[in-house]
Structure formats: structure tokens, C-alpha cells
């Protein structure tokens, strides 16, 4: 049918404005009414019952058994490392452990802001340019850069060990790159030991067959005063695992957020928010993008971020990262509804 209208046997298709009569006005109106009546009858013809093959039904399903496989999930681990308990388990360390580390870290951070950062901005034009163009992440970005130099100098490593994204960690004239109050404290040494213990369990759960017995751990301090945040980032320095220990954080002050690795377009583009608590330690893959939301409280949040490297100054091969190839399979049994 040239017009594309559906054809019903025994019906005459008419355009909505009717067919024009060639025998006079009156006859045309009569023909139009007759056509309208005929068109109104056509839907009734469609409703007439027609014969159909009988429906084939198998035996009823009372129970279904099978397997579900979760493909490539993100392995995110959260435990209470220190505190009084009540947040997901019994803490491994007393509240004083986190309080001492937070005190050492906060005093070192204030010293850096007062004496070291102004000097860095004065002698390093590139750093000053970044500072002037950056957002509320800039304080911790500068502080981390200084701590990278402290770490590589203390461990006799090249700066490239921690600068896989072509970022710089220069040694500037007149700047002191030491932090004995932190690096020689018993609490900081114990923190790194705890991180190593937990990293072994994390990697084993991730499917690594030969978990290393020793690691080299780079831990740096982040302090979030009111309004401070950390923009999205990921780590590609060749570490096994990344994480954070929230030594001191007020409830509801910040959130540790993960971005959807599948991309930003729907149905993806999701964000997972983890509300950290005081004494909380989290671990996650190094490649997953994360960010810290602005601190909404007056009290500073004191956080020890860390990367877990192979021992001896080498790097993990990212092509063999077990956290990027996790699959979880479980059996299921479902009864009929």
C-alpha cells in the first residue's frame, strides 16, 4: 500500500480527510460518512479471535542452581587500625597510637607551612606558578613533593623512584630535607610494620600466588584544614597497593571517594564514597582514581597515605598486578517465587 497504512481484509483504506466525490457535494458527504462508518468498523474486525498453536509449558521450576561470577571488581579493604572499637571490628592498636602520630604529623606540617613552603615558592618559579593556578589541593601537593625528597634522600634512592608521572621532587638550595621527629619515632615504625602485615593479606586475597615477605613502604602525611581537599589522582609508580591511615578525623569532615574505572558515560560514571573514621586504615589498587572531598569541619584531618613497593628499590610490574584481574565466583540456589 503506497501510503504505508495498515490494510485490513474487507476494509477500504481512506485518508483522514476522506475521498473527494466527483458526482456532487451531497453525494460526497454521504460517501464520506459511509467511509467513516466503515473505518470505525475495521478495528472491531481486528479483535475477532483467531486460532493459535497451543502454548507449550515445561515442568514448573521449583529451584534454580548455578554460579555467579563478578568480573574485575575493585578490591577495597577497610579496617579499624586504632581506636576504641565499634567501627567494623576490634582495633589492632590503642587510641594513643593514632593520637601520637597525629601530633607528630601536625607539628611537622605546621613547621613546613611556616618556614619551608614560603622558601620553596620563593626559589622555585615552576612551583610558584603551580601554586597560583591550583585549587585547594595545592597545600598537600607541595607537602608531598617535599616528603618525596625526604624519603629518597633517607633511603639513597633516585628521585625518579617516586616520580613516574614526570613530576619533580628537586633538592632546592637552602631547604632542609629531613624529618627525624617522624622517621625516628616508634609509632611511625610500627605503622609501617602494620601496613606490611596488612598488605600481605590484601595481596593474598587479591589472588597473588607468591606474596613477598618484605616491602619498601613510602608513607607521606596529608593534613586537611577546613576547606582543603585533594583532586582526583591515581598512582603508577610501580607499587603493589595504595592506602591511607586516618590518624585523626572528625566524623563527617571528609570523604574518601573512588571514581568509576569504567568511564564517565552512563550507565557508568559512578562514585563510591567511603566515610573514614578515626583510626581507619584502607587499602585499594594503585590504579584506581580517587579524591578527598573538602573538609567541612574546623578540626584538621590528619592522614598518612602510603604506597607499598617491592623491597630493594625495584618496582612491581603493572602488567602482572593481581588487583586488576580479580574475579569472584560463588554458587547460588534460588527457590521459585
Amino acid at each position: 500500500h503506497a501510503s504505508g497504512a495498515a490494510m485490513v481484509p474487507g476494509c477500504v483504506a481512506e485518508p483522514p480527510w476522506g475521498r473527494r466525490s466527483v458526482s456532487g457535494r451531497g453525494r460526497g458527504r454521504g460517501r464520506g460518512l459511509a467511509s467513516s462508518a466503515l473505518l470505525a468498523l475495521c478495528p472491531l474486525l481486528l479483535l475477532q479471535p483467531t486460532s493459535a498453536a497451543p502454548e507449550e509449558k515445561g515442568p514448573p521450576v521449583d529451584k534454580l542452581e548455578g554460579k555467579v561470577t563478578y568480573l574485575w571488581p575493585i578490591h577495597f579493604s577497610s579496617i579499624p587500625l586504632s581506636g576504641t572499637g565499634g567501627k567494623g571490628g576490634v582495633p589492632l592498636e590503642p587510641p594513643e597510637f593514632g593520637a601520637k602520630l597525629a601530633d607528630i604529623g601536625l607539628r611537622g606540617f605546621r613547621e613546613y607551612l611556616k618556614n619551608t613552603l614560603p622558601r620553596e615558592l620563593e626559589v622555585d618559579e615552576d612551583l610558584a606558578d603551580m601554586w597560583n593556578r591550583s585549587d585547594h589541593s595545592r597545600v598537600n601537593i607541595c607537602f608531598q613533593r617535599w616528603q618525596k625528597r625526604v624519603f629518597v634522600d633517607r633511603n639513597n634512592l633516585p628521585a625518579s623512584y617516586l616520580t613516574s608521572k614526570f613530576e619533580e621532587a628537586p633538592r632546592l638550595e637552602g631547604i632542609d630535607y629531613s624529618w627525624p621527629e617522624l622517621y625516628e619515632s616508634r609509632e611511625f615504625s610500627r605503622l609501617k610494620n602494620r601496613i606490611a602485615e596488612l598488605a600481605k593479606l590484601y595481596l593474598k586475597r587479591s589472588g597473588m600466588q607468591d606474596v613477598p615477605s618484605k616491602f619498601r613502604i613510602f608513607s607521606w602525611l596529608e593534613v586537611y584544614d577546613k576547606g582543603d581537599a585533594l583532586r582526583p589522582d591515581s598512582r603508577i609508580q610501580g607499587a603493589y597497593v595504595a592506602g591511607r591511615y586516618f590518624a585523626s578525623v572528625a566524623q563527617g569532615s571528609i570523604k574518601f571517594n573512588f571514581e568509576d574505572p569504567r568511564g564517565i558515560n552512563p550507565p557508568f560514571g559512578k562514585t563510591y564514597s567511603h566515610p573514614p573514621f578515626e583510626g581507619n586504615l584502607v587499602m585499594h589498587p594503585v590504579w584506581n582514581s580517587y579524591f578527598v572531598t573538602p573538609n567541612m569541619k574546623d578540626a584538621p584531618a590528619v592522614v598518612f597515605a602510603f604506597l607499598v613497593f617491592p623491597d630493594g628499590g625495584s618496582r612491581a610490574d603493572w602488567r602482572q598486578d593481581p588487583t586488576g584481574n580479580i574475579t569472584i565466583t560463588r554458587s547460588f540456589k534460588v527457590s521459585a517465587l
Side-chain angles (χ1 to χ4, degrees):
H1 188 258
S3 67
M7 296 295 294
V8 180
C11 293
V12 179
E14 289 277 354
W17 50 85
R19 180 178 297 170
R20 183 178 179 183
S21 172
V22 296
S23 301
R25 185 177 302 174
R27 185 177 179 182
R29 282 198 297 269
R31 178 64 180 272
L33 293 174
S35 299
S36 298
L38 186 59
L39 286 174
L41 181 61
C42 289
L44 298 178
L45 299 177
L46 293 176
L47 300 177
Q48 298 302 315
T50 59
S51 60
E55 184 178 358
E56 294 290 338
K57 291 185 178 181
V61 178
D62 297 327
K63 183 182 296 184
L64 184 65
E65 298 184 10
K67 289 185 178 181
V68 174
T69 300
Y70 300 95
L71 300 176
W72 312 305
I74 295 173
H75 183 179
F76 176 71
S77 176
S78 173
I79 69 162
L81 179 62
S82 64
T84 57
K87 289 287 186 178
V90 179
L92 301 176
E93 299 289 346
E96 296 77 22
F97 174 80
K100 180 66 174 178
L101 279 172
D103 180 66
I104 295 173
L106 193 56
R107 284 190 284 112
F109 175 74
R110 299 300 184 206
E111 174 68 20
Y112 170 80
L113 284 185
K114 180 180 179 181
N115 297 316
T116 303
L117 179 59
R119 176 61 180 166
E120 287 180 321
L121 295 175
E122 180 181 344
V123 301
D124 191 332
E125 294 183 357
D126 291 337
L127 183 66
D129 181 63
M130 184 281 292
W131 177 272
N132 292 329
R133 292 184 292 104
S134 190
D135 53 22
H136 289 285
S137 306
R138 62 186 185 179
V139 174
N140 282 302
I141 290 175
C142 292
F143 193 32
Q144 185 201 55
R145 190 182 87 148
W146 178 81
Q147 291 177 86
K148 285 181 178 179
R149 175 54 65 179
V150 174
F151 177 82
V152 296
D153 285 359
R154 190 176 183 89
N155 291 276
N156 297 316
L157 294 169
S160 59
Y161 184 77
L162 295 176
T163 55
S164 297
K165 293 183 178 180
F166 305 104
E167 69 273 28
E168 295 183 349
R171 185 185 295 106
L172 302 176
E173 184 178 354
I175 303 296
D176 180 18
Y177 294 101
S178 64
W179 196 355
E181 295 82 5
L182 177 66
Y183 277 84
E184 297 174 9
S185 68
R186 295 174 55 188
E187 289 78 11
F188 190 58
S189 177
R190 189 168 182 83
L191 173 63
K192 290 186 290 184
N193 288 336
R194 287 297 193 188
I195 291 172
E197 294 171 354
L198 296 170
K200 293 177 184 178
L201 298 174
Y202 179 93
L203 292 172
K204 186 176 181 179
R205 291 196 304 271
S206 297
M208 179 177 282
Q209 299 297 321
D210 298 318
V211 178
S213 58
K214 293 183 179 180
F215 302 102
R216 185 188 295 274
I217 297 171
F218 170 48
S219 180
W220 68 97
L221 182 75
E222 296 171 347
V223 176
Y224 298 92
D225 284 320
K226 187 173 184 178
D228 286 341
L230 186 66
R231 60 175 176 250
D233 198 7
S234 60
R235 302 290 168 185
I236 58 171
Q237 286 98 331
Y240 288 122
V241 60
R244 271 169 171 71
Y245 168 57
F246 299 88
S248 177
V249 57
Q251 184 176 2
S253 58
I254 61 175
K255 289 183 179 179
F256 189 43
N257 288 358
F258 290 94
E259 294 188 305
D260 195 334
R262 299 170 298 178
I264 62 174
N265 296 319
F268 311 127
K270 311 300 183 183
T271 299
Y272 174 77
S273 293
H274 174 70
F277 53 88
E278 192 156 291
N280 185 204
L281 186 143
V282 300
M283 287 186 173
H284 57 88
V286 296
W287 43 263
N288 193 218
S289 178
Y290 60 84
F291 62 96
V292 178
T293 62
N295 185 1
M296 306 302 293
K297 303 290 185 179
D298 293 328
V302 182
V303 183
F304 286 85
F306 58 84
L307 292 170
V308 180
F309 290 93
D311 190 32
S314 62
R315 296 186 184 184
D317 187 347
W318 60 267
R319 292 169 296 185
Q320 300 176 2
D321 186 351
T323 65
N325 194 33
I326 296 176
T327 58
I328 300 175
T329 302
R330 65 176 180 85
S331 300
F332 71 86
K333 295 182 180 180
V334 180
S335 299
L337 299 177

